[in-house]
Amino acid sequence: MEEAAPFIVPTKLALPTPRGGRVERSRLNQRLDGCFEQPASVALVCAPAGWGKSTLLSQWLNEIDAPVAWVQLDPADNDETRLCAHVATATSRALGARSGDVFTSATTVSQFADTLAAVLSPSAEFVLVLDDYHVIANPEIHTGVDRLLKWMPASGHLVVSTRMEPPLVSLSRLRVDGRLVEVRADDLAFSDAEADQLLSEAISVPVAADVVSGINARAEGWGAGLYLAALSIGRDGDADDYLTQFAGDTRLVADYLRSELIDGQTAEVRELLMSIAVLDEFCGGLCDAVLETTGSAKRLRELERDNLLLVPLDERSEWYRFHHLLLEWLRDELSVSDIDTVELHRRAAVWLHASCTPEAAFDHAHAASEVDLAASIVVENWGQAVAAGRWALLNDWFDRLGNDVVSSRPRLCLARARVGLNSGESPAWVTAWMDRAREVIGDDEPELLAEVHRNLGIQLRMQGEMSAAQQHLEAAVEVHTDGDKLVESQSLLAAVLFYQGDLKEAGRLLEVVLETATVEDNHLTVLFALSFQSAVLYERGLRIQAKETAENALGSADGTTLDGSPTLLWARLVLGHLWLDDGDVDQAAAEIEPTLEMSRLMNARGAATLALVAAARLEAARRHKVQAQALLGEADELVVSMTDPGRLPELVAVARGQTLRGERRDPHTPDNVVIVEDLTDRELAVLRLLPSDLTGREISAELYVSHNTTKGHLKAIYRKLGVSSRDQCVARARGLGLL
């Protein structure tokens, strides 16, 4: 199976490949083709298990001429962030170069819907398939899918495959509008002709037409039942006799599975099937580990070849799952057998942990009551999960471990506190977990003490207590013995220095961090440092370096699990400001608008303030001053809620001056100071560089204009502000709130 990010499961995105010797169901394919006859139409394929929903869709989708994004849903996708990560990945792969990385910042289905509406070309058909939608119970996801149905572009089509009617309010409207194509169990039921074709393709024994009709009548057109009948007739060679035995009830299917599929296998195969039933998906290596044997990959290929209800999950036939009917039966049998399922789960957890598959590894470790292993999985992976925004997953891990386990391990206490900080828990709740971490740290664990200081520094920075945050992060830097942790704390300290206004020291520290972290291949710290360094450079008036650094940050994250991570918020803000400096509102919006949601995910007041300031400036550039003022009002409320916000009040004041260029905001500015006319965007770009140490020619280079053009802008600025020198200009601009 292809190498993938720890929290993206490639097999969920693999479009099933139609098996050879398939039954041609042209009548149903033609019905599904109706999706392309109406704009933004939807296909609903709704039927119980075993009716061939996925098989039909795989045949149809492999024949149409349109890009397809396929997502196989499972119960874990009720975590909306997880679901969106897989939907975004599938869509990006399907659309290719047309989509770029625009979907990566979407963490809700509603956000994905808005992004798809903005990106999808009206002339290029696109199909998104959500298979097994019945596993979704999260009402917020249903609301998001309804929004997707409402705003789907004309060339976009959603296919929902489910065992039960989905609770989507949009379906009634689509049905009335003639934009809903429906395929249900009655439609999927095999006709006698189709049943005859299925039996003929599956077995070499001829079956009389009346026998086919009888079997199909007993199966009530149920595809899975017909397939099971074909396997049985193929082994026994007596279709007439089988007709008297076959029925479509669940009990008979269970009896069939036992007598025809299991009892006829060797003891080795029976043990293999029963033992690996603890796994949702499996490959040869995982089966070898669970069974403590070798050669499982070969046996799996043989079982697939023998049609033993194994479903391949990738083109190379390395990963498989059981047909759900067989899996349910095997697990029922396993529950009353003498097989030690706890040990099987333990072996699976160890193998999956070593294979960097944390979600499945934790599930098996928890099932095996392997507390130490489960705790280790959380300790090793919670940082990556935070970066990916997987708060629901992390809280689920902590809940399943239990407070007694978490509170007895200092690293888990720290992780619990950090996750709570980002997921909206109160400062007192977070502090309590920090205090518990300090209580259980041993005297010989200075690195853990440094982590406490670091996490307190993070907490205080996010709450807006910058001086206290600086003290704790300086203490962490002093105590750290781990090189990777040291550079992480140094980068966090630099971020606090940025908020404190010490740009020179922040920039110096970030240079040290980048040099060390790059050598040590500490990718997350490199991205964080690049992102903040771009903000430092922009505030110092170094536009070219700021742009290069911000683009480097985003480029380094492209194609990784950190693409779209909140870590990149500051780089996106810098690029947004630079586009506004150049008068390109659309490009600025593409960078700035996602940061509002990023900052909310981070639950960090400083980051949220900067995002609101940038959004206000964007609205002002759109001539939406009322909206700009509302956003600045939100920023003011955040700043007031902080006990020590550093230079954030100054940044909000500057933004207010930029949104109200003709109005004086500073009460100390003399009454006779009046701007005769507004400065242009280009003049404002020059003005913002005047407080720096750049010469006139260097300012021209930063702005990619000639020196004569810059001199012309300066002359206009001086005239409009009523000044005659650069120092006077800077002072007057600050008094007016323009700087």
Side-chain angles (χ1 to χ4, degrees), residues 382 414 418 421 434 451-459:
W382 72 269
L414 292 172
R418 178 67 187 282
L421 180 63
M434 293 285 192
E451 286 198 44
V452 171
H453 280 299
R454 182 180 66 178
N455 281 277
L456 283 169
I458 293 170
Q459 177 190 1

Side-chain angles (χ1 to χ4, degrees), residues 130 364 417 421 476 538 647 656:
L130 300 179
H364 286 287
L421 180 63
Y538 181 77
R647 64 192 293 260
R656 179 166 281 105

Side-chain angles (χ1 to χ4, degrees), residues 333-379:
E333 294 295 305
L334 187 61
S335 66
V336 296
S337 72
D338 295 330
I339 295 176
D340 186 354
T341 57
V342 171
E343 176 61 17
L344 297 178
H345 281 296
R346 187 196 67 79
R347 295 172 189 168
V350 171
W351 190 91
L352 290 163
H353 182 210
S355 300
C356 300
T357 313
E359 288 189 73
F362 181 90
D363 290 341
H364 286 287
H366 183 262
S369 298
E370 286 286 335
V371 175
D372 290 338
L373 177 57
S376 296
I377 292 168
V378 177
V379 167

Side-chain angles (χ1 to χ4, degrees), residues 62 82 132 172 199 208 282 320 457 517 601 627 637 669 723:
N62 277 279
R82 182 184 195 262
D132 285 347
S172 296
L199 294 172
F282 42 87
Y320 299 87
L601 286 173
Q627 293 92 323
E637 292 176 4
T669 302
V723 297

Side-chain angles (χ1 to χ4, degrees), residues 274-291:
M274 197 75 75
S275 298
I276 63 177
V278 298
L279 306 170
D280 292 325
E281 298 178 358
F282 42 87
C283 66
L286 178 54
C287 292
D288 283 345
V290 169
L291 298 171

Side-chain angles (χ1 to χ4, degrees), residues 167-185:
L168 301 173
V169 297
S170 299
L171 294 180
S172 296
R173 174 180 55 81
L174 291 167
R175 189 177 288 115
V176 171
D177 291 343
R179 294 192 291 122
L180 180 64
V181 175
E182 298 181 74
V183 178
R184 297 188 176 271

Side-chain angles (χ1 to χ4, degrees), residues 658-679:
Q658 292 170 334
T659 60
L660 302 171
R661 289 200 295 256
E663 301 176 24
R664 287 185 291 105
R665 303 298 302 175
D666 191 331
H668 303 293
T669 302
D671 290 339
N672 61 351
V673 175
V674 178
I675 299 181
V676 177
E677 57 182 291
D678 283 353
L679 300 180

